[in-house]
Amino acid sequence: MPDSSARPLAVVIVTHNSAGVIEDCLRSVLAATGPRLARLLVVDNASTDDTLAVVAGTDPEAMVISTGGNAGFAAGVNAGIDAAPGCDVLVLNPDIRLKPGSVAALRAALAQPGTGIAVPRLLDADGNRQPSLRRRPTTMRAVGEAVLGGHRAGRVPALGELVVDERHYARPGVVDWATGAAWLISRDCIETIGLLDERYFLYSEETEYMLRAGDAGFQVRYEPAATAVHLGGEQASSARLWALAATNRVRLRRERDGRLAGFTMWCAVLLNELPRALLRRGQSGRRHRRALGALLFPRRWPIPPGGDQGYLCFSAQDWWYHNRAHSDFQLMRSIARRRPVLVVNSIGMRMPVPGRSTQVLRRILRKLRSVAMLVRRPLPELPNFHVMSPLPLPFYGSPWLRRVNAVLIRTQVRLVCALLRLGRPVIMVTIPTAWDVVRPMPRRCLVFNRSDRHSDFPESDRATIENLERDLLRNADRVLYVSHALLAEERELTGERAHFLDHGVDLEHFRPGAEPPAELRRIPGPRIGFFGALDDYLVDFDLLERIAAELPEAALVLIGDSTHPMDRFDKYPNVHWLGFRPYETIPAYGSGFDVAIMPWLNNSWIRHSNPIKLKEYLALGLPVVSTEFAELSGYRDRVRSATGHAEFVEAIRLSLAGGGPATPEQLRASVLPFSWTSRAAELMTLAEQAE
């Protein structure tokens, strides 16, 4: 296991209306970590006070990530983890004040064999020790605390969850879990067990995570040499938060140990709240009565603001056979952490026909196989993420058949929405042919994800698709662009409804350093590489052939399905077309490239595009050579661009000889703010605040 102290450290502070406490927290972090020895990330859950102004005034270099709404503590932590790939992560409440030396002590504790999480000693504002250590929650312990009270029950391990013995706080040790006001998580632990469970919204999420870490063989280590002051107190003063903490104890037991255990925990927590709700007055009585009501009329999961809002996405891709890095898939996966999501696979823009389309039979057969998948939850870690493939009749040139097709698809989609209880979802449309389907559907908001100008697609019925695009531009509540050029051209149609939403990148997935697959290692270097769809309306195959001819000493590695005849490269022994490779393996292939290329054609499609591939290459720390397109203007300091074939080949030579314009570390750092979590949060804000 790598030495934790050698890894970079990220400090993640989740805020929500924290203006009164965040300044002292930030100053204590800066004092405890030294100047820029840690990456500081403030994740803000839609504060309406001066939190962000205070952050900017206290530490202008802190990275601020907005979740776009009050998404809960777990979602905030996860957003911070997403923006800190490769780092150990110190999670802090904004009301924490670290004592000098605490970070070093926690990192030393984390370096102990088998440790996945390290926690400090907590003090209150008066310097008194806070009882922050806990035993595994059981029904017996919940009953003991209900009858005896937390501190008295804690003296008997079988009867109390709270650790009260002073001896346990005086020396280092291993605990089941601890208060999550301050805790350091190792990168090994994160990579093994994943992110926090966002369903809890607030309270019990750290309990679940630490217990899950223990299940995976990681220890939670308490280190008293690390000390932090925790102001706390919000739960005791808020009836809503008290009720949430009570009901989440039941949810946690149910999810870990089954329904019967969950029911017995419900009885134990009810035993705690019922007499106090009846006998106590004032604020104390109110919070117990609120908890009693939440227990008697429970929801399966707490619903954060907007949390009952579902999302329906008409994708331009098909989950079952296209690259899952596409923006609509990435955005919906991130949203599914907080909201129910149904992705409708591409309904196409025309029926493939011989003479105009390539690989006609193959394309029809793969769509039929996709339709046969029906409705699925393809990601076990995201139970709210659903994918369906309706059976379409993609004859968009005929008005009558278009209407029949729209009714057919709408019927299938509405049936699935009813089964998933998506009554009035936010509808996001990426493919323009979905307009006929969604026009009469009830919805909270219609978002047109204008990622490409689809009427420029060579196989489309241009006039029909242009009309559909125009209807969407006029009727959508929000129009999202990844191209400033396209946004400017269509501003007359969209007005203030248009918003630029840049692409993200899966930072955790696209990390450098993975060992390249064996088939790539067998190809001698240096390697000039490309991964993605080799579509004949996007990729300049003449340029690829020129690269192969003029750089015979280098291997040209092409990864992806092709709609272009690839036998033209048979005469070049240095060209290696590996075909399609699963998304999960792409970063390992990319890590074996010496130079990554984007050899695009000069056409309208490319001029209005913003390839996700660019950020993926940069996240891998690769030197990048690209043909010109408008959105490249923001990357001049990181990417070599070319306007002609000769210039492109020369840029590759320069990159092979001396690397990129910046170091691999600098290239990767430049895209760290662009996690898909942050992009999805911005989308949710735009959609859920639409009038």
Side-chain angles (χ1 to χ4, degrees), residues 528 543 547 551 554 556 595-597 625 640 646-658:
I528 305 163
L543 174 55
I547 293 169
L551 297 171
L556 177 59
V595 175
I597 59 172
V625 177
R640 291 192 173 98
E647 190 178 349
F648 196 100
V649 172
E650 187 56 36
I652 293 177
R653 283 199 180 97
L654 182 60
S655 299
L656 287 173

Side-chain angles (χ1 to χ4, degrees), residues 195-482:
L195 300 174
L196 278 68
D197 190 334
E198 297 181 11
R199 295 176 297 176
Y200 290 94
F201 185 68
L202 190 65
Y203 302 121
S204 290
E205 67 279 271
E206 83 270 42
T207 314
E208 189 278 335
Y209 195 84
M210 293 185 197
L211 294 177
R212 191 174 3 134
D215 295 341
F218 291 98
Q219 295 176 346
V220 178
R221 186 171 296 275
Y222 167 69
E223 178 49 71
T227 304
V229 173
H230 179 217
L231 302 183
E234 186 178 5
Q235 178 186 342
S237 63
S238 169
R240 181 181 66 85
L241 296 183
W242 184 274
L244 184 57
T247 52
N248 273 356
R249 294 178 67 190
V250 178
R251 295 180 178 106
L252 174 66
R253 189 78 200 283
R254 178 194 69 209
E255 292 301 300
R256 286 186 56 81
D257 302 313
R259 292 184 178 180
L260 179 58
F263 175 71
T264 61
M265 179 62 85
W266 178 84
C267 293
V269 177
L270 189 70
L271 177 65
N272 182 75
E273 301 298 333
L274 179 59
R276 292 165 175 83
L278 296 176
L279 299 175
R280 293 188 180 181
R281 298 290 181 265
Q283 177 65 27
S284 176
R286 280 194 295 274
R287 68 173 184 247
H288 290 293
R289 286 190 288 276
R290 180 74 174 263
L292 181 63
L295 289 165
L296 292 175
F297 303 98
R299 295 181 181 272
R300 182 166 181 82
W301 290 105
I303 298 180
D308 55 349
Q309 180 64 63
Y311 280 71
L312 172 62
C313 172
F314 285 82
S315 173
Q317 317 297 326
D318 193 296
W319 176 268
W320 302 116
Y321 54 78
H322 282 136
N323 188 332
R324 294 173 187 173
H326 286 285
S327 64
D328 34 13
F329 292 152
Q330 295 283 9
L331 290 167
M332 290 300 120
R333 286 170 63 180
S334 292
I335 289 174
R337 290 182 186 173
R338 310 175 200 170
R339 308 284 193 266
V341 167
L342 173 62
V343 171
V344 179
N345 281 328
S346 173
I347 59 176
M349 290 192 293
R350 69 171 288 114
M351 174 67 77
V353 292
R356 187 167 184 178
S357 307
T358 59
Q359 303 173 330
V360 173
L361 180 60
R362 174 177 177 270
R363 292 164 71 174
I364 293 175
L365 288 176
R366 73 180 184 179
K367 175 53 73 175
L368 291 175
R369 285 194 294 269
S370 175
V371 171
M373 301 293 281
L374 302 176
V375 183
R376 303 218 175 183
R377 291 190 297 183
L379 302 173
E381 70 276 16
L382 288 176
N384 279 336
F385 183 77
H386 303 81
V387 177
M388 73 170 292
S389 294
L391 178 65
L393 296 175
F395 298 100
Y396 296 106
S398 165
W400 181 80
L401 287 175
R402 270 179 55 190
R403 287 193 292 272
V404 172
N405 184 49
V407 171
L408 174 64
I409 295 173
R410 188 185 310 124
T411 301
Q412 297 171 73
V413 172
R414 293 191 70 169
L415 175 61
V416 175
C417 285
L419 293 173
L420 298 178
R421 298 181 180 179
L422 299 179
R424 293 182 65 250
V426 170
I427 299 180
M428 187 176 89
V429 170
T430 300
I431 191 166
T433 47
W435 169 240
D436 287 336
V437 179
V438 306
R439 181 178 0 211
M441 291 181 67
R443 53 186 179 261
R444 161 81 176 269
C445 173
L446 176 61
V447 178
F448 183 16
N449 183 32
R450 189 71 156 133
S451 58
D452 294 294
R453 179 175 275 168
H454 286 87
S455 52
D456 289 334
F457 180 59
E459 293 183 22
S460 69
D461 182 330
R462 186 179 184 93
T464 298
I465 301 302
E466 278 185 341
N467 286 333
L468 291 170
E469 288 176 325
R470 192 174 296 109
D471 286 341
L472 275 166
L473 291 170
R474 287 171 174 159
N475 290 281
D477 300 294
R478 296 282 188 261
V479 183
L480 305 182
Y481 290 88
V482 295

Side-chain angles (χ1 to χ4, degrees), residues 427-575:
I427 299 180
M428 187 176 89
V429 170
T430 300
I431 191 166
T433 47
W435 169 240
D436 287 336
V437 179
V438 306
R439 181 178 0 211
M441 291 181 67
R443 53 186 179 261
R444 161 81 176 269
C445 173
L446 176 61
V447 178
F448 183 16
N449 183 32
R450 189 71 156 133
S451 58
D452 294 294
R453 179 175 275 168
H454 286 87
S455 52
D456 289 334
F457 180 59
E459 293 183 22
S460 69
D461 182 330
R462 186 179 184 93
T464 298
I465 301 302
E466 278 185 341
N467 286 333
L468 291 170
E469 288 176 325
R470 192 174 296 109
D471 286 341
L472 275 166
L473 291 170
R474 287 171 174 159
N475 290 281
D477 300 294
R478 296 282 188 261
V479 183
L480 305 182
Y481 290 88
V482 295
S483 165
H484 286 96
L486 189 55
L487 186 155
E489 289 178 15
E490 296 178 345
R491 176 67 81 177
E492 186 176 343
L493 287 172
T494 59
E496 296 304 312
R497 295 174 292 115
H499 301 271
F500 180 78
L501 182 67
D502 201 357
H503 281 318
V505 59
D506 190 339
L507 293 164
E508 193 63 31
H509 190 54
F510 286 91
R511 289 186 299 155
E515 183 178 14
E519 67 174 336
L520 187 62
R521 295 198 304 271
R522 288 193 289 268
I523 299 173
R527 305 184 191 104
I528 305 163
F530 173 93
F531 55 69
L534 290 157
D535 291 319
D536 50 12
Y537 63 93
L538 297 177
V539 174
D540 188 340
F541 285 90
D542 292 338
L543 174 55
L544 290 178
E545 187 166 358
R546 184 157 178 178
I547 293 169
E550 296 194 18
L551 297 171
E553 72 281 6
L556 177 59
V557 180
L558 306 174
I559 299 171
D561 270 341
S562 177
T563 59
H564 184 86
M566 297 299 285
D567 53 4
R568 68 183 292 177
F569 297 106
D570 290 348
K571 59 186 175 183
Y572 299 103
N574 62 328
V575 176

